[in-house]
C-alpha cells in the first residue's frame, strides 16, 4: 500500500506478555483447584476464604538462600503478604511498584512478604525473579511454599493476590492491588487503588472502606492428585495438543511469557490452561467459524477442549513417557525459517526510557539492494519483547507510484500481538525495487525499567523467474467517522471496488481500544454476497491476520465492504474517555477503522509474459 504514517496503527501493549499466553483472568470464573498431595493442604473453597478480621495463618517458609521465616517474626507491625508467580505477566507489571512502596517513608512501619506457591517455580527462579525486578536489597523476603500448604491456609487463588494485616495481625484487606487491569484490557490509570487506600487506613487506625475485592491474575499452580489410570495423559494427548496449538509461541526465545515444552512446566499451568481454553481466550483466534476457511486457524477443536478438561479433572497425569511425540523442530528464532538476509533497524541500540509515552520512532535503513528483490517471506524480529509492541516495515519512497496495475505495494510486513509473519504461496512475491530504502516504524511501551532494543527484519527471496504474481497490501479505511460520547455500538463503514480480477490472500482488520466487531463482505457483480471474515468480538490485544486456505477469487466489479462497530460507553473497561467524541488518530485514545487486504491480480502471470506492467 502507499505508506502513510498517519494510517499506521499505534498498537498498544495493554498487558505485558499478553502475546501468546498471558493468563490474566476474571476471578469470577469457576474454581478449578484440586486436592493436594500434602497432608496439611486442603481443597480450596472460595466460600471458605480467609475472612476479614481473621488472624494471620501460621507459616514457616524458606527463601531462595535457605533462610527460614516464621509468622511470629512479623509481630506488632502491619504486614502485606502478596502471592506471586515468576512468570505471571500481571505480576511482572505490578512488581515494578514494590521498590517505591517499600522505600516510601510514610510506610516505613509496614512489613512485606512475597509467597510463591507455584509447583513449577523453583527457588532458583525465585532468586532470578528478585534480581531481574530489582528487589534484591529490599526488606521483602520472597518465600517458597512447597505443596501450596500456606496458600491453602490463606485460600489464595491467584497471582498477584494481596493480604493486608494490621499490627495485631488481623486481616483488613484481601484481593486485587487496584482496578487497572481486566482480562485483555487496561486503564491508563486505576480508578481505585485498593491496596494503597487500605494501607493508609490501617496506618491511620481507620476502618478500611473496601476490604475485599476479586483478584485478577494467574491461577496458583497447585500440586494435583494425578490419576495415572486416566485415558487422557500429558504424554499421549495433551503434549500433542500443545505442539499443534501452543509451542509456536510458548517456547524459549519466543513471545510468550513462559515455555510449555515439558511436563514439569506444563503441569503447573494445568488449571490455568483449562480456564483459558474453556473460555476460548487461548489460543487467540477471533474469527466466526461459520465464515471462511483460514490456514492459520489456531482455535481448538471440541475434542481437544474435552481432552484438556478430562486431563485436568484427572489431576493432570503425566502418563507413560514412551507415548510422547517426537520433539518439534523449530527454526531458531525465525518462524519463516532462516532468512536470506537480516536487516537491523539501526547499528546502535535504541534507548527506551523507564516511563512515559514514547512517540513512534522511525529508522530509515539502506539494505544495499542493487537489484530488484522478490520477497516470498518476511518477518519482523523483535529485539526486546519487554518494550516493543509493534513493528512495521515499508519501502521508504513516498514518491514512488504503485506498481503492477492497481495493487499498491509499499507495505512489506509487520508484527504485533497475534499477527503471523508474511509467508506467501509458491509463485507469489512482494517486490522491493533496486535502490529502495526501508522504513522501520517502532512502537515502544516502557515497562518501568530502562531498556535497549535493536529489532530487525528478515527476508526470504525467490528468483524473478519464479514469480507469477506480485502481492500488494490494500487498505479499506474510513477516516471521517465521529463516534459520539457514550455510544455502545457505533457503526462505521468503508468499501473498495475491485476493477480487475483479483485474488485475496489474507485479511487484517484493525481498530483501537473502542473496537467491538469487524466484518468483511464481498458483494459480487452478479448480486450475490459472501461474508469473507466476521470478527464478532474484536480484541485489540491480539492483532490477528487471517490467511485464506486458498487464495479467494474476486471478480472484477466486486465491492468489498468493511463494517466496524465501536463501543464508546462506560461499559467498555478499556475506554480511555466515554465522554469524548472520538475521531481518527494515531494514538490508542483515538480510533482507526482499517480493513487491510493482501491481494494479487488473478490474470497476472509474469512467468509467461516477462512483462511486469502487462496488466
Amino acid at each position: 500500500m502507499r505508506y502513510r504514517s498517519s494510517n499506521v496503527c499505534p498498537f498498544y501493549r495493554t498487558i505485558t506478555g499478553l502475546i501468546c499466553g498471558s493468563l490474566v483472568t476474571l476471578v469470577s470464573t469457576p474454581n478449578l483447584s484440586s486436592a493436594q498431595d500434602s497432608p496439611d493442604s486442603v481443597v480450596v473453597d472460595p466460600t471458605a476464604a480467609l475472612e476479614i478480621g481473621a488472624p494471620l495463618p501460621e507459616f514457616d517458609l524458606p527463601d531462595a538462600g535457605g533462610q527460614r521465616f516464621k509468622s511470629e517474626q512479623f509481630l506488632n507491625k502491619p504486614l502485606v503478604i502478596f502471592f506471586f508467580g515468576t512468570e505471571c505477566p500481571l505480576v511482572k507489571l505490578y512488581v515494578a511498584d514494590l521498590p517505591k512502596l517499600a522505600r516510601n517513608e510514610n510506610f516505613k512501619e509496614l512489613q512485606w512478604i512475597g509467597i510463591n506457591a507455584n509447583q513449577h517455580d523453583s527457588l532458583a527462579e525465585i532468586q532470578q525473579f528478585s534480581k531481574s525486578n530489582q528487589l534484591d536489597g529490599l526488606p521483602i523476603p520472597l518465600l517458597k511454599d512447597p505443596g501450596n500448604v500456606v496458600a491453602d491456609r490463606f485460600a489464595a487463588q491467584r497471582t498477584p493476590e494481596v493480604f493486608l494485616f494490621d499490627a495485631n495481625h488481623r486481616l483488613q484487606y484481601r484481593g486485587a492491588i487496584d482496578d487497572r487491569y481486566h482480562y485483555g484490557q487496561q486503564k491508563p490509570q486505576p480508578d481505585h487503588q485498593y491496596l494503597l487506600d487500605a494501607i493508609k487506613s490501617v496506618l491511620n487506625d481507620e476502618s478500611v472502606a473496601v476490604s475485599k475485592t476479586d483478584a485478577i491474575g494467574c491461577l496458583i499452580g497447585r500440586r494435583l492428585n494425578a490419576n495415572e489410570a486416566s485415558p487422557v495423559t500429558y504424554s499421549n494427548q495433551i503434549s500433542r495438543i500443545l505442539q499443534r496449538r501452543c509451542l509456536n509461541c510458548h517456547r524459549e526465545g519466543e513471545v510468550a511469557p513462559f515455555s510449555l515444552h515439558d511436563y514439569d512446566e506444563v503441569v503447573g499451568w494445568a488449571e490455568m490452561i483449562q480456564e483459558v481454553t474453556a473460555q476460548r481466550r487461548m489460543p487467540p483466534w477471533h474469527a466466526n467459524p461459520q465464515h471462511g476457511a483460514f490456514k492459520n486457524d489456531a482455535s481448538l477443536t471440541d475434542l481437544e477442549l474435552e481432552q484438556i478438561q478430562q486431563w485436568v479433572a484427572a489431576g493432570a497425569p503425566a502418563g507413560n513417557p514412551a507415548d510422547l511425540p517426537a520433539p518439534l523442530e523449530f527454526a531458531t528464532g525465525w518462524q519463516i525459517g532462516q532468512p536470506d538476509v537480516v536487516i537491523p533497524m539501526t547499528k546502535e541500540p535504541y534507548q527506551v526510557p523507564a516511563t512515559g509515552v514514547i512517540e513512534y520512532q522511525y529508522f530509515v535503513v539502506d539494505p544495499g539492494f542493487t537489484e530488484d528483490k522478490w520477497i516470498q517471506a518476511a518477518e519482523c524480529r523483535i529485539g526486546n519483547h519487554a518494550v516493543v509492541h509493534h513493528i512495521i516495515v515499508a519501502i521508504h519512497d513516498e514518491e514512488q507510484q504503485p506498481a503492477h496495475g492497481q495493487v499498491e505495494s509499499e507495505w512489506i510486513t509487520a508484527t504485533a500481538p497475534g499477527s503471523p509473519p508474511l509467508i506467501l504461496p509458491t509463485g507469489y512475491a512482494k517486490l522491493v525495487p533496486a535502490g529502495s530504502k526501508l522504513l522501520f516504524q517502532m512502537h515502544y511501551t516502557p515497562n518501568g525499567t530502562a531498556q535497549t532494543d535493536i529489532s530487525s527484519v528478515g527476508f526470504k527471496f525467490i528468483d524473478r523467474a519464479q514469480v507469477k504474481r506480485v502481492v500488494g497490501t490494500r487498505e479499506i479505511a474510513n477516516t471521517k467517522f465521529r463516534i459520539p460520547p457514550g455510544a455502545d455500538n457505533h457503526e462505521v463503514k468503508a468499501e473498495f471496488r475491485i476493477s480487475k480480477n483479483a485474488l485475496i490472500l489474507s485479511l487484517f482488520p484493525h481498530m483501537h481500544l473502542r473496537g467491538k466487531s469487524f466484518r468483511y463482505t464481498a458483494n459480487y457483480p452478479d448480486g450475490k454476497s459472501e461474508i469473507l471474515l466476521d470478527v464478532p468480538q474484536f480484541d485489540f490485544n491480539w492483532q490477528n491476520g487471517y490467511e485464506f486456505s486458498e487464495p479467494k477469487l474476486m471478480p472484477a466489479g466486486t465491492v468489498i465492504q468493511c463494517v466496524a462497530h465501536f463501543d464508546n460507553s462506560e461499559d467498555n473497561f478499556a475506554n480511555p474517555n466515554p465522554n469524548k467524541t472520538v475521531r481518527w488518530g494515531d494514538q490508542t485514545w483515538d480510533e482507526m477503522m482499517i480493513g487491510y487486504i493482501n491481494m494479487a491480480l488473478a490474470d497476472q502471470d509474469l512467468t509467461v509474459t516477462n512483462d511486469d506492467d502487462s496488466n
Side-chain angles (χ1 to χ4, degrees):
M1 71 176 198
R2 295 295 294 170
Y3 177 81
R4 299 191 298 274
S5 63
S6 62
N7 284 358
V8 180
C9 50
F11 307 121
Y12 184 74
R13 184 187 299 274
T14 61
I15 295 181
T16 300
L18 255 174
I19 305 171
C20 293
S22 89
L23 306 167
V24 180
T25 62
L26 285 173
V27 79
S28 58
T29 52
N31 175 58
L32 304 173
S33 302
S34 301
Q36 313 304 311
D37 57 7
S38 168
D40 295 325
S41 61
V42 297
V43 175
V44 175
D45 180 356
T47 65
L50 196 67
E51 296 297 337
I52 301 302
L56 173 68
E58 293 183 0
F59 60 84
D60 179 359
L61 299 174
D63 68 4
Q67 182 179 355
R68 300 196 72 87
F69 291 81
K70 299 182 180 182
S71 49
E72 56 261 33
Q73 295 175 231
F74 299 88
L75 298 176
N76 304 320
K77 288 184 179 181
L79 172 65
V80 175
I81 292 181
F82 61 94
F83 286 84
F84 72 98
T86 65
E87 297 172 310
C88 180
L90 197 53
V91 169
K92 292 178 181 180
L93 281 178
Y94 276 121
V95 77
D97 295 332
L98 276 181
K100 292 181 290 185
L101 289 172
R103 294 189 178 101
N104 191 320
E105 282 296 314
N106 295 323
F107 304 152
K108 59 185 178 182
E109 63 179 292
L110 189 65
Q111 303 172 106
W112 296 82
I113 297 175
I115 297 179
N116 185 304
N118 286 339
Q119 63 167 303
H120 53 285
D121 284 344
S122 67
L123 286 170
E125 288 170 324
I126 293 173
Q127 191 171 40
Q128 180 58 40
F129 174 85
S130 179
K131 291 180 180 179
S132 61
N133 289 283
Q134 302 178 2
L135 301 182
D136 282 3
L138 294 176
I140 306 178
L142 300 182
L143 311 181
K144 179 62 179 176
D145 177 19
N148 44 267
V149 174
V150 175
D152 290 348
R153 291 173 182 166
F154 278 77
Q157 297 184 54
R158 308 239 171 200
T159 63
E161 187 168 359
V162 296
F163 295 77
L164 171 64
F165 295 85
D166 61 21
N168 297 317
H169 279 186
R170 296 287 172 172
L171 182 64
Q172 299 300 320
Y173 173 77
R174 64 169 295 165
I177 294 172
D178 58 37
D179 67 346
R180 198 184 331 175
Y181 301 105
H182 191 278
Y183 167 63
Q185 298 173 320
Q186 170 183 295
K187 298 176 182 178
Q189 298 293 332
D191 292 328
H192 302 283
Q193 299 194 37
Y194 302 120
L195 177 60
L196 185 60
D197 290 344
I199 289 172
K200 292 177 180 178
S201 295
V202 167
L203 293 180
N204 291 325
D205 292 324
E206 299 171 351
S207 61
V208 176
V210 178
S211 59
K212 187 176 180 180
T213 61
D214 290 338
I216 305 296
C218 308
L219 285 170
I220 291 173
R222 286 179 155 82
R223 293 194 181 276
L224 308 176
N225 286 332
N227 175 14
E228 292 296 342
S230 169
V232 179
T233 67
Y234 170 80
S235 295
N236 199 342
Q237 296 90 344
I238 302 304
S239 59
R240 289 167 170 80
I241 294 173
L242 296 176
Q243 282 191 347
R244 289 192 297 268
R245 307 298 188 185
C246 306
L247 290 191
N248 191 50
C249 292
H250 281 273
R251 54 190 170 92
E252 294 297 328
E254 282 302 327
V255 296
F258 50 85
S259 174
L260 294 175
H261 75 281
D262 63 43
Y263 176 76
D264 289 342
E265 183 71 17
V266 171
V267 68
W269 291 104
E271 294 176 328
M272 199 72 238
I273 290 171
Q274 182 187 45
E275 179 175 283
V276 297
T277 55
Q279 296 176 5
R280 292 193 180 272
R281 301 204 317 265
M282 288 288 155
W285 185 256
H286 304 98
N288 183 341
Q290 297 180 12
H291 306 288
F294 303 97
K295 65 182 180 182
N296 63 322
D297 187 342
S299 61
L300 293 167
T301 66
D302 290 342
L303 176 60
E304 289 170 330
L305 286 169
E306 182 180 350
Q307 289 175 337
I308 291 171
Q309 292 188 29
Q310 290 178 359
W311 178 61
V312 176
N320 186 350
D323 294 334
L324 286 168
L328 291 183
E329 296 293 332
F330 292 99
T332 303
W334 296 93
Q335 297 182 54
I336 62 173
Q338 186 59 40
D340 295 317
V341 64
V342 177
I343 303 165
M345 69 182 198
T346 182
K347 293 181 180 179
E348 299 296 328
Y350 176 71
Q351 304 293 320
V352 183
T355 59
V357 176
I358 303 175
E359 295 184 2
Y360 289 173
Q361 298 299 304
Y362 294 92
F363 302 89
V364 177
V365 180
D366 185 351
F369 293 161
T370 58
E371 58 183 10
D372 290 352
K373 294 292 186 179
W374 300 87
I375 297 174
Q376 192 273 329
E379 181 180 350
C380 296
R381 190 66 182 164
I382 293 175
N384 186 340
H385 287 291
V387 291
V388 176
H389 180 269
H390 83 251
I391 305 172
I392 295 173
V393 177
I395 298 171
H396 183 58
D397 186 353
E398 296 189 6
E399 301 303 320
Q400 181 180 348
Q401 294 301 310
H404 307 290
Q406 294 187 341
V407 179
E408 300 178 351
S409 57
E410 283 191 350
W411 172 301
I412 300 176
T413 191
T415 189
S419 60
L422 176 74
I423 303 177
L424 297 175
T426 301
Y428 291 74
K430 284 195 169 186
L431 169 63
V432 178
S436 295
K437 294 182 180 180
L438 303 181
L439 180 65
F440 285 75
Q441 183 200 73
M442 303 295 302
H443 183 194
Y444 291 104
T445 56
N447 71 344
T449 59
Q451 304 277 331
T452 62
D453 174 61
I454 298 181
S455 293
S456 58
V457 66
F459 295 145
K460 294 188 75 170
F461 304 124
I462 62 173
D463 292 336
R464 163 65 179 80
Q466 297 176 299
V467 179
K468 184 175 182 178
R469 296 186 178 95
V470 181
V471 176
T473 302
R474 163 72 64 175
E475 65 175 38
I476 304 173
N478 184 332
T479 64
K480 305 299 183 183
F481 58 80
R482 296 178 61 187
I483 306 173
D488 64 358
N489 198 40
H490 185 75
E491 185 175 270
V492 178
K493 296 180 179 180
E495 61 183 36
F496 165 63
R497 184 179 182 275
I498 295 176
S499 60
K500 296 186 178 182
N501 294 338
L503 294 167
I504 295 180
L505 280 68
S506 61
L507 306 172
F508 187 102
H510 176 60
M511 299 181 285
H512 289 174
L513 295 172
R514 296 172 176 87
K516 184 177 182 180
S517 65
F518 203 103
R519 176 180 287 187
Y520 291 77
T521 302
N523 298 305
Y524 296 114
D526 63 3
K528 296 180 180 179
S529 296
E530 179 185 10
I531 295 174
L532 302 177
L533 171 67
D534 179 38
V535 180
Q537 292 182 313
F538 181 82
D539 187 345
F540 178 71
N541 300 295
W542 294 101
Q543 302 293 334
N544 270 333
Y546 300 87
E547 304 174 16
F548 286 109
S549 297
E550 298 292 338
K552 189 80 172 173
L553 176 63
M554 297 287 114
T558 299
V559 175
I560 306 295
Q561 183 185 62
C562 293
V563 178
H565 290 91
F566 297 86
D567 184 354
N568 193 25
S569 72
E570 293 183 354
D571 293 334
N572 178 357
F573 182 91
N575 192 346
N577 185 352
N579 301 313
K580 173 186 175 182
T581 297
V582 183
R583 298 175 174 83
W584 176 279
D586 277 354
Q587 300 302 320
T588 52
W589 51 82
D590 301 316
E591 267 303 337
M592 286 187 176
M593 186 280 188
I594 308 173
Y596 292 108
I597 298 179
N598 265 351
M599 59 188 295
L601 299 179
D603 300 326
Q604 185 179 59
D605 189 345
L606 300 184
T607 63
V608 174
T609 64
N610 264 336
D611 180 0
D612 291 1
D613 298 312
S614 60
N615 291 294

